[in-house]
Amino acid sequence: MNDMRIALVTGANKGIGYEIAAGLGRQGYRVGVGARDEQRGEDAVAKLRASGVEAFVVPLDVTDDESVTTAAALIEDRFGRLDALVNNAGITGGVPQNPAGVDLGIIRTVVETNVIGVVRVTNAMLPLLRRSPSPRIVNMSSSVGSLARQSGPGSATTTGPIAVAYAPSKTFLNAVTVQYARELDGTGILINAACPGYVATDLNGFRGVRTPEQGAATAIRLATLPDDGPTGGFFEDDGEVPW
Ligand code: NAP
């Protein structure tokens, strides 16, 4: 049973996270479906199993210390290690978010989930990842967090609503990813940030133009990198995203 590689995807009960779980499952991973609502997690697991994926539910609210500790204990008890962690769970906090007059609580809430949640989950899972022969971490970012794409004469290629909580939370997450890559250099743990493109999910009222399956592709590739693959990078389907 423990010869299968083990993956954990946070926020995997729907959207892009669900498709990351499905894709890793198709590649032979046993996939932990992180879900803050256990029933939504069970429903997703049932659907994944019906499609032939070895899935199990991991109740997991990334903003809750106890929930994250319990999730790590669950994986440790059942498998003793983790091969791939995909930090996918994320929120926008509602857009537009104009800087002037923004509710500071929205910034705190978004950073708590999109950044601090990733650090909390990653640190809880690191001891398990260190036991894997080829550990991988993927942080689900967004090109809206790319400063290069948002600023500079003629380089503002990012459209979409102003979002003073959401977009900088992804910039922050990118910077956090780089710091982990520095610390984990030489350990065999590869950690990268992924942008899924503009995907039709609940997050944007299904206004995105890509399918969740298309949005999952880069994260799946980064979760299954060969040992000589990159670390500390930021990728989308077409290659690297400028910081
Ligand atoms: P989604 O359909 O809204 O799914 C988000 C997932 O995160 C849900 O499973 C949600 O759970 C979960 N989640 C939210 N807060 C959580 C928490 N505190 N603890 C645990 N899980 C939590 O959104 P999506 O579009 O698939 O987004 C997935 C990731 O891709 C996010 O990080 C997002 O920022 C990123 N992204 C998306 C797009 C896009 O165009 N859609 C573009 C760039 C980046 P519930 O079901 O319980 O709410």
Side-chain angles (χ1 to χ4, degrees):
M1 165 160 170
N2 281 357
D3 53 346
M4 285 178 83
R5 284 166 298 173
I6 313 298
L8 172 65
V9 183
T10 68
N13 54 285
K14 67 179 181 184
I16 300 166
Y18 177 88
E19 291 298 339
I20 295 169
L24 289 173
R26 282 193 295 271
Q27 292 199 29
Y29 283 73
R30 191 182 292 270
V31 189
V33 172
R36 62 177 160 175
D37 180 283
E38 194 164 352
Q39 188 55 53
R40 287 198 284 268
E42 293 287 5
D43 292 346
V45 163
K47 217 169 116 189
L48 286 164
R49 283 193 185 143
S51 72
V53 167
E54 296 270 1
F56 58 99
V57 71
V58 180
L60 176 53
D61 181 336
V62 303
T63 65
D64 185 307
D65 285 336
E66 197 183 325
S67 168
V68 172
T69 304
T70 305
L74 181 154
I75 294 171
E76 167 142 44
D77 288 351
R78 289 186 61 176
F79 310 106
R81 68 161 207 284
L82 184 64
D83 299 293
L85 168 64
V86 183
N87 288 305
N88 165 80
I91 57 170
T92 65
V95 290
Q97 298 155 348
N98 292 339
V102 68
D103 175 350
L104 299 182
I106 290 178
I107 299 182
R108 289 194 189 97
T109 302
V110 171
V111 169
E112 183 64 47
T113 300
N114 295 1
V115 184
I116 299 173
V118 171
V119 174
R120 181 181 287 114
V121 173
T122 300
N123 288 351
M125 301 300 162
L126 265 177
L128 300 174
L129 286 158
R130 290 185 198 277
R131 294 185 201 148
S132 165
S134 298
R136 306 288 178 256
I137 303 171
V138 183
N139 291 337
M140 188 56 93
S141 183
S142 169
S143 62
V144 304
S146 162
L147 294 176
R149 285 203 182 161
Q150 292 178 80
S151 61
S155 65
T157 54
T158 298
T159 51
I162 292 176
V164 73
Y166 181 66
S169 79
K170 296 300 190 183
T171 317
F172 193 166
L173 178 61
N174 289 345
V176 163
T177 305
V178 170
Q179 297 304 312
Y180 271 108
R182 292 180 62 205
E183 182 178 0
L184 297 173
D185 187 37
T187 64
I189 302 179
L190 304 180
I191 178 166
N192 291 285
C195 173
Y198 190 33
V199 179
T201 66
D202 266 339
L203 190 98
N204 51 38
F206 294 91
R207 281 185 294 273
V209 295
R210 313 187 76 211
T211 65
E213 194 171 351
Q214 289 171 324
T218 293
I220 293 169
R221 182 172 67 78
L222 295 173
T224 58
L225 284 172
D227 289 342
D228 61 353
T231 191
F234 183 20
F235 297 94
E236 60 188 355
D237 282 2
D238 294 339
E240 283 202 61
V241 184
W243 298 113

